[in-house]
Amino acid sequence: LGAAAAAPAASQPKQANLPTRMVLGALGGMGGSSVCHPLDVIRVQMQVDTAGLYKNPLDAAVKIVQRNGFVSGLYTGISAAYLRQWTYGSCRVGIYAFLLDKVKASQEPGTAIPFWKKLLMGSTSGAIGSMAGLPSEVALVRMSADSKLAPEMRRNYKNVVECITRISKDEGVLNLWKGGAPTVIRATLLSSAVLGCYSETKEQLHARFPALFPNKDGIPLMFTATMIASVVATAVSNPFDVVKSRVQNMAMPVAGEAALYTGMRDCFIKSVKAEGPLVLYRGFVPSFVKLAPYTTLSLILTDKLSKAMGFRGMEAVDFALPTFHAHSTAKSSGPPLWGYTAHRLGSEGCPKIVGLAFVGFGGVYCWVAGGRLPATFLLNSNL
């Protein structure tokens, strides 16, 4: 077995740069928003409802449609939602995917990315995205809640551009960053929980239940991982979401009157005192019902768009499972199987062990630690 055995090279996905990742993230987010925006409108209107107008999400949906119609009621503010994807969404998903690529490239092939690193990357991308997307977030809340107001009090924004322009002109540019503290805290918690827990849950489900989830890129696995991550994300972020929505929807006080809330802490205290602690979880159901399918759709679209363009998808790491099931070296009626180690050619010509390969039965059967064959490798008989 002195000769090295050749194996077919496997094409490797390209590593996308940050702008590309951000564009892919924004496009995926727009697809998710197109489907799930009505749930966002219901969520916001329930969170700013201090008069007890809505009994539950279904009641809110029915009353919104009766009052304003389906499109004008449930799709109000969709332009702000799209802008939000190009600011907040592009940063959140794009930066996270970019950081995953960088961390993965710095590790040995097949090394799992620690869960705490995924949470940290999710928190970082969420915090940056929330600051970039605050103006569109304020516009989204204002436009989504506007139809709930009495006709004489409605702002009647035509689109997100007019909304942002009027806020800047009438209330000051800084009011576009109103509610910055709860927004950043919410986005940090939400992104770390959704993106970090999604990546970790997807990896663990695929590794522990291969019979149920044999395909790491399959829709059932992605949906299940998203559902679990969405429960965690909604639970930790909803209190800050309620405070954020109320502060951002707060009208400018007239001359001589104090503002309804002086800040995040004041809004928190007044809301709990007036309506009880459960007010912090108002809108939980539409938040969760929206977050799960939105995250599923946006991540699936981002993942598929990435792979269609030849880039690596949204998986956090190539799972430590075989690409091809290696045949056993035990006695068999077929030809003997020869054991080989597979080496990848390093950047400086130094080979790196990436897994095992067995030659026999007319083919090469490989077990690769990272779940993917390197582009070029050698098989050496040194077992």
Side-chain angles (χ1 to χ4, degrees), residues 130-131 133-135 137-139 141-142 167 171 173-187 240-250 261-265 267:
S130 66
M131 290 304 298
L134 254 173
E137 182 77 29
V138 172
V141 170
R142 291 280 187 96
I167 292 174
E171 305 174 34
V173 175
L174 291 181
N175 269 325
L176 291 173
W177 276 266
K178 182 185 288 185
T183 300
V184 172
I185 294 173
R186 170 193 175 270
F240 297 97
D241 201 16
V242 172
V243 173
K244 173 191 74 68
S245 294
R246 293 192 171 197
V247 171
Q248 291 175 340
N249 190 55
M250 179 176 61
Y261 307 118
T262 59
M264 180 181 73
R265 182 173 177 273
C267 178

Side-chain angles (χ1 to χ4, degrees), residues 186-266:
R186 170 193 175 270
T188 300
L189 294 173
L190 185 71
S191 296
S192 63
V194 168
L195 298 174
C197 290
Y198 168 79
S199 295
E200 184 70 14
T201 303
K202 184 180 173 185
E203 179 176 344
Q204 293 298 328
L205 288 175
H206 183 60
R208 295 174 184 272
F209 305 101
L212 289 175
F213 306 105
N215 183 4
K216 70 178 180 180
D217 295 320
I219 302 299
L221 175 58
M222 297 182 76
F223 180 77
T224 304
T226 300
M227 291 291 287
I228 295 173
S230 296
V231 171
V232 177
T234 307
V236 300
S237 66
N238 205 82
F240 297 97
D241 201 16
V242 172
V243 173
K244 173 191 74 68
S245 294
R246 293 192 171 197
V247 171
Q248 291 175 340
N249 190 55
M250 179 176 61
M252 285 288 291
V254 298
E257 290 187 2
L260 181 60
Y261 307 118
T262 59
M264 180 181 73
R265 182 173 177 273
D266 185 53

Side-chain angles (χ1 to χ4, degrees), residues 332-357:
S332 170
S333 58
L337 301 177
W338 304 105
Y340 287 82
T341 54
H343 292 64
R344 182 173 65 179
L345 295 178
S347 58
E348 299 178 358
C350 300
K352 299 177 181 179
I353 296 176
V354 296
L356 299 173

Side-chain angles (χ1 to χ4, degrees), residues 46-89:
M46 290 188 68
Q47 289 176 342
V48 301
D49 178 25
T50 57
L53 179 63
Y54 304 127
K55 299 176 182 178
N56 51 59
L58 181 60
D59 180 57
V62 171
K63 288 180 178 177
I64 291 170
V65 173
Q66 287 177 342
R67 186 169 58 241
N68 301 101
F70 182 81
V71 175
S72 298
L74 294 180
Y75 274 90
T76 181
I78 187 65
S79 59
Y82 287 154
L83 178 61
R84 184 172 179 266
Q85 295 307 320
W86 284 98
T87 51
Y88 168 64

